[in-house]
Amino acid sequence: MSPGVEGRRARQRATAGRAPTRPGVRLLRRVWRDPHLALTSALALPSAVVGLVAGGPAGLGDALRLGVAFAAGQAALGLVRQPAAARTRLALSLLRLLVSLLFVIVAVEVVPEGRTLVSLYLPIVAVAAILGPVPAVVLVAAAGFAYAVPVLVHDGLAAEATLRGIALASISVIVAVSIRWTKGSLDRALAELRRSLAAGVRRERQVTGLADVGAALAATGPTPETLDMVVGLLATRFRHRYVALFLADGDTVRLGAQRGYDALPTVLDASRGVMGRAIRRGRAVLVPEVGLDPDYVAADPAVHSEIAVPLLSEGELLGVLNVESTAPIPLDTEDRRALEVLADRLAAAIALGRDRQRLAERERLARHLVDFSAAISATLDPRRLFEAIVATVTDVVPAEMMGLTVLDPATGRYLVRAVVGLDAAAIGAEVRPGEGMAGRAIRDRALVLSEQYELGDVPAPLRDLVDAPLGTAAGVPIIREGSVIGALSLVRATGAFTPAEQDAMRLVAAQAALAIANVLLHAEVNDLAIRDPLTGLYNRRYFDAVLEQLLASHGRDPAGRPPLSAVMFDLDHFGQVNKLHGHQFGDLVLQAFGRLVAGRFRESDLVARFGGEEFVVILDRTTVTDAERLADEVRRAMASARFEGANGELLHVTVSAGCAELEPSEPTREALLRATDVALFMAKRGGRDRVVAQPTSVRLSRRAARALDTAEPAPGPSPEAGPTRLPTGGWKR
């Protein structure tokens, strides 16, 4: 808004509410304020005094009539509407000065002793000098001519009259020059005062604008709405036509807010333009005349000057503030300094806002990490742990798809153990090192990122389970004591993973590694407590405890004590095997037989290594006849198995078995195992490599069974002679 418009509005506000002025009153005010009428009236006053003194009442009357006539003429000219053109207004003012000059010329001739009034030319010349050099020259010449003509007519070239004319002309020139010089000085002082006032007003607007900007930033922070308001304040308070604020987003500078432009690129090319130069130099750039700057990129042909100020915080570029002006007066160093102060405040606010955002993000991540740690520490069951990991990781790092790959210690393969956002059929799929994000993380042993993760990057076994397209992906290895025991893979549709989220993924992987290692260790310890470390079958301690529970529940069965049988296996002449071929070979035989027994019976059957080369199986709801049949299948399979000895020869080892069924009259662990042991003993005494089942009607004590040892053995080599090696590599009593 221009000062003239502001002044007019101020006058309108000042006169608002007053009673309307009548036309006559307005006319009188206009006449009263007419400077030319005032000048003519002032010239008439000394004329009347001279007329009264020199000619008495008659002279006074002549002077008054003359003054009234010219005053009326000036009043009539004052009623003429002022023209808009400056030259026309100057010509009208010059005409009215000539009217005043004509009044003096006539007064000199009409008023008695009128020659004494020639000094009245000087005020007219002074007023003309105020109007400008041209009116001053015209009036000095006219006044000199008006003085000289009457003198030449009456006195000729009289020396005295000539001297008076020269003096009058000299004085007129001196008065005109002095007044012009004085007016010029006053004009320059007034212009300087106006510039100072304008600068003061501008500085006041700038200070007020800076205060408003600071208050807004302090109240809400550098939100998009606040930054848009800041740009609006620059446009209104600082009166800049074009204002643009660009903010740094990584290596890209994007448009944050703008005023005045019809269209601006959303991404700034920092390699060109005045803003690009400010970014590259790291300091403000002032261009007083954009037409002379080779870097200027035109946004509007009416732009005259431009200022670009980078937003910096500890050397980091946060953005750039740009102002373009169409005003005839170019932007100057004062504007640049004001924008630099504003840029500093903006940079500080943006940096503080980003720090607050980072702190808030880290606080959120820390809170979720605590929840994650609590969730994965709440169970020692591997399946539940894997499900808890994938369910809570997405709370820490948002992702639409999540997978957990864990090393299988038994096979050495990496298998998918839990998923989120993916079909459950993916569980159990193998992930090879280098395949997919999890495979790359396992191979590289480091966090890997992909901003364009596509279907072709997914491991082959999982491609049919994924709907393309994918998006941004990350893989982080799970490392425990230098070994990669798994990996986490995350995929989301949009948005790169921030540095804080990448740090969180590493922390999550470290906590997951500890939890997985603890669970696996716990499972291993449990296995060691209940399983035989050599064969993997249950051990004697676990067997005894479970058999007691099984017998207790068997006695409470409402079906009325269903059958329950036991089989005791014993490898024939195993001591001689160890002695002749070594304990390592013996261990291989035990392991092979353990796998054979475990594979021949049901998962519900209780299979255990009873001790040394003895193995026992408890078959619930199975008669002794069925137990004998199953035991004989095991015996035949063992007899047909071949083992490679230390020297490469093929060997075979036989097994004997005894079977018994739980007696309803004595349903105890001791009775069942005693009967089974007796049957095994009978199989051994019967020649080995056979199965003996004790009928349910036979109740033979262990002492009676031992008495059989004194009986004559079956025909053939005596037991004391030791085993005889067969050509096939086996052994036989």
Side-chain angles (χ1 to χ4, degrees):
M1 186 185 297
S2 65
V5 175
E6 289 184 348
R8 185 164 62 252
R9 290 186 177 179
R11 290 193 296 272
Q12 291 174 354
R13 289 192 297 268
T15 57
R18 295 181 182 178
T21 306
R22 288 177 293 181
V25 176
R26 289 200 299 271
L27 180 61
L28 289 175
R29 288 178 179 174
R30 184 174 177 183
V31 171
W32 176 258
R33 295 171 181 171
D34 188 350
H36 294 285
L37 177 58
L39 176 61
T40 303
S41 301
L43 295 174
L45 183 58
S47 300
V49 173
V50 170
L52 177 61
V53 173
L60 175 62
D62 293 338
L64 290 176
R65 284 191 293 274
L66 181 63
V68 170
F70 275 87
Q74 287 285 19
L77 290 174
L79 296 177
V80 176
R81 185 175 181 181
Q82 292 292 320
R87 290 186 178 182
T88 307
R89 290 198 302 271
L90 181 60
L92 181 59
S93 297
L94 183 57
L95 174 61
R96 298 187 69 180
L97 285 177
L98 291 174
V99 170
S100 298
L101 181 64
L102 181 59
F103 168 76
V104 176
I105 294 172
V106 175
V108 169
E109 295 297 328
V110 173
V111 175
E113 298 296 332
R115 291 187 179 183
T116 59
L117 298 175
V118 294
S119 59
L120 296 179
Y121 291 131
L122 296 177
I124 299 173
V125 171
V127 174
I130 293 174
L131 292 178
V134 174
V137 172
V138 171
L139 264 297
V140 167
F145 180 77
Y147 173 79
V149 170
V151 170
L152 291 175
V153 171
H154 295 290
D155 300 331
L157 294 175
E160 183 180 356
T162 302
L163 292 175
R164 286 201 301 270
I166 293 173
L168 180 62
S170 300
I171 293 173
S172 299
V173 171
I174 292 172
V175 169
V177 171
S178 300
I179 290 176
R180 283 303 308 165
W181 182 84
T182 303
K183 184 177 183 299
S185 299
L186 292 175
D187 288 342
R188 288 191 294 273
L190 181 60
E192 183 63 29
L193 178 61
R194 287 177 176 172
R195 282 194 295 270
S196 299
L197 290 175
V201 172
R202 185 173 62 183
R203 283 194 295 271
E204 182 182 0
R205 288 200 305 268
Q206 292 173 349
V207 170
T208 304
L210 289 173
D212 293 341
V213 168
L217 292 173
T220 62
T223 62
E225 295 77 12
T226 304
L227 295 178
D228 185 73
M229 184 185 71
V230 168
V231 171
L233 286 173
L234 280 173
T236 55
R237 296 290 181 87
F238 288 66
R239 296 182 180 176
H240 295 309
R241 174 70 181 277
Y242 297 107
V243 183
L245 175 63
F246 286 83
L247 299 177
D249 181 12
D251 296 332
T252 306
V253 183
R254 302 183 184 277
L255 178 65
Q258 63 94 8
R259 285 292 188 280
Y261 296 96
D262 293 332
L264 271 181
T266 56
V267 177
L268 178 66
D269 184 2
S271 64
R272 58 195 296 264
V274 176
M275 284 187 284
R277 191 164 75 206
I279 292 174
R280 294 192 300 272
R281 293 184 178 180
R283 62 176 183 271
V285 174
L286 167 63
V287 183
E289 181 55 53
V290 296
L292 303 178
D293 192 286
D295 290 336
Y296 176 69
V297 179
D300 186 345
V303 172
H304 292 160
S305 54
E306 181 179 6
I307 298 177
V309 186
L311 308 180
L312 301 173
S313 176
E314 297 181 354
E316 178 187 3
L317 177 69
L318 303 180
V320 61
L321 178 64
N322 189 70
V323 169
E324 295 182 85
S325 175
T326 58
I329 301 176
L331 299 171
D332 55 18
T333 55
E334 288 292 331
D335 297 299
R336 187 195 66 196
R337 281 194 285 268
L339 288 177
E340 286 175 338
V341 173
L342 179 59
D344 288 341
R345 294 192 179 184
L346 275 174
I350 293 173
L352 181 60
R354 290 186 177 182
D355 289 342
R356 288 177 178 173
Q357 185 177 3
R358 292 191 188 102
L359 288 174
E361 177 68 11
R362 292 189 178 277
E363 187 274 334
R364 184 191 70 81
L365 291 175
R367 187 173 64 254
H368 286 303
L369 283 172
V370 171
D371 296 339
F372 173 79
S373 179
I376 66 175
S377 301
T379 179
L380 289 174
D381 180 75
R383 183 181 59 82
R384 292 183 179 179
L385 171 65
F386 300 152
E387 293 175 351
I389 289 175
V390 297
T392 52
V393 164
T394 52
D395 293 333
V396 181
V397 182
E400 286 81 14
M401 213 179 300
M402 166 75 193
L404 171 64
T405 302
V406 180
L407 176 66
D408 182 12
T411 62
R413 299 187 304 162
Y414 291 95
L415 305 178
V416 177
R417 290 305 189 186
V419 294
V420 167
L422 195 63
D423 196 298
I427 297 176
E430 181 180 2
V431 176
R432 293 184 175 88
E435 291 185 348
M437 300 308 296
R440 289 170 56 190
I442 292 170
R443 180 195 63 194
D444 300 342
R445 303 172 63 90
L447 174 69
V448 293
L449 300 171
S450 175
E451 294 185 359
Q452 294 181 344
Y453 192 63
E454 300 176 350
L455 188 60
D457 301 321
V458 179
L462 305 179
R463 289 176 188 170
D464 294 338
L465 306 176
V466 176
D467 296 328
L470 297 176
T472 303
V476 56
I478 301 175
I479 302 175
R480 182 64 177 169
E481 295 181 352
S483 300
V484 181
I485 63 173
L488 292 168
S489 56
L490 299 92
V491 181
R492 63 188 182 196
T494 58
F497 293 101
T498 65
E501 290 177 329
Q502 296 175 29
D503 292 341
M505 282 189 276
R506 294 185 180 94
L507 293 174
V508 162
Q511 293 188 16
L514 180 61
I516 293 173
N518 286 340
V519 166
L520 295 180
L521 180 61
H522 182 266
E524 183 180 355
V525 170
N526 282 345
D527 260 4
L528 290 176
I530 65 174
R531 290 189 181 274
D532 171 52
L534 180 63
T535 62
L537 301 178
Y538 291 118
N539 58 23
R540 175 70 179 270
R541 179 187 304 172
Y542 182 79
F543 172 81
D544 289 341
V546 173
L547 180 57
E548 288 290 352
Q549 295 177 0
L550 183 62
L551 292 175
S553 62
H554 186 268
R556 295 192 299 268
D557 195 315
R561 297 181 182 272
L564 185 145
S565 300
V567 179
M568 182 81 73
F569 293 97
D570 185 273
L571 295 174
D572 296 331
H573 304 298
F574 193 72
Q576 291 296 327
V577 171
N578 282 331
K579 182 178 180 181
L580 294 176
H581 300 283
H583 287 279
Q584 290 185 348
F585 178 79
D587 290 345
L588 292 176
V589 173
L590 290 173
Q591 290 173 343
F593 185 73
R595 289 193 297 270
L596 175 61
V597 175
R600 289 286 176 170
F601 293 96
R602 301 169 297 183
E603 291 186 3
S604 60
D605 296 333
L606 178 59
V607 182
R609 183 182 179 188
F610 201 65
E613 66 271 22
E614 290 186 332
F615 296 80
V616 64
V617 181
I618 303 298
L619 300 95
D620 191 17
R621 300 178 185 277
T622 304
T623 64
V624 69
T625 303
D626 291 333
E628 181 182 11
R629 176 179 54 79
L630 293 171
D632 196 57
E633 291 178 1
V634 172
R635 181 196 65 78
R636 290 197 303 271
M638 188 63 182
S640 63
R642 294 293 182 268
F643 302 94
E644 185 176 353
N647 297 324
E649 71 272 24
L650 294 178
L651 307 174
H652 77 271
V653 179
T654 60
V655 64
S656 301
C659 305
E661 185 176 338
L662 183 68
E663 285 287 342
S665 59
E666 192 178 1
T668 63
R669 179 177 67 88
E670 292 77 7
L672 178 63
L673 294 180
R674 183 174 63 247
T676 307
D677 191 23
V678 168
L680 175 61
F681 182 79
M682 294 174 66
K684 290 285 189 181
R685 296 297 297 173
R688 293 183 172 83
D689 189 18
R690 64 190 61 201
V691 177
V692 172
Q694 181 180 354
T696 56
S697 60
V698 177
R699 299 184 61 187
L700 185 66
S701 67
R702 184 65 179 248
R703 178 176 297 177
R706 290 298 183 188
L708 293 177
D709 192 33
T710 62
E712 290 294 329
S718 64
E720 290 76 7
T724 302
R725 186 169 183 177
L726 299 177
T728 58
W731 300 89
K732 184 176 181 182
R733 281 283 186 184

